[in-house]
Amino acid sequence: MDYYVIAEREIVLGFSLAGVKGQAVSSRRDALEAFMVQTGQTSGLRSSVETDRPKVLILTEDVSDMISSEVMDWQMKGKAPLIVEIPGLGGHIKGRKTLTDSIREAVGINV
């Protein structure tokens, strides 16, 4: 399975040690550009080849907040890549549901 991470520099570096490619971003503009390329929403040659795109796109919560409307629109389409949000350098953002919370809510069982 192909992964790609869009996050802060330190997180991208950490993922690269595990062989996961990524792009470091620090602004909404950079985050949006990387997101559009990886989801194939640009007219460039790279985005036109669907096999080059990752199957799972990893975003930190901070990056996801920067481009929240675009992420939500993409998730509602139900297309690949799957978007997974992880905590950023500052940890989990208070008030956001974790993956475990979402599973508990969907299944209705607290393990």
Side-chain angles (χ1 to χ4, degrees):
M1 189 172 278
D2 296 330
Y3 298 91
Y4 194 87
V5 64
I6 301 173
E8 296 83 1
R9 184 178 56 89
E10 294 84 356
I11 291 177
V12 172
L13 177 61
F15 272 91
S16 71
L17 295 174
V20 177
K21 295 178 183 176
Q23 181 173 346
V25 297
S26 58
S27 68
R28 173 177 161 66
R29 183 174 160 259
D30 293 342
L32 186 57
E33 181 179 320
F35 180 78
M36 297 297 260
V37 168
Q38 294 307 315
T39 56
Q41 299 182 68
T42 61
S43 60
L45 177 62
R46 184 190 183 320
S47 63
S48 65
V49 181
E50 190 151 331
T51 57
D52 285 348
R53 289 191 295 174
K55 304 296 186 247
V56 178
L57 186 58
I58 303 167
L59 306 175
T60 57
E61 292 174 343
D62 297 329
V63 170
S64 182
D65 280 350
M66 284 186 217
I67 56 172
S68 61
S69 62
E70 289 84 359
V71 169
M72 182 63 73
D73 288 344
W74 185 259
Q75 289 175 327
M76 297 305 276
K77 290 178 185 177
K79 295 182 179 179
L82 172 69
I83 298 174
V84 176
E85 294 180 12
I86 61 171
L89 293 173
H92 182 66
I93 296 175
K94 293 184 182 201
R96 287 185 80 131
K97 282 186 185 177
T98 64
L99 180 58
T100 305
D101 293 337
S102 296
I103 292 171
R104 284 184 186 144
E105 185 178 302
V107 176
I109 300 173
N110 189 5
V111 180

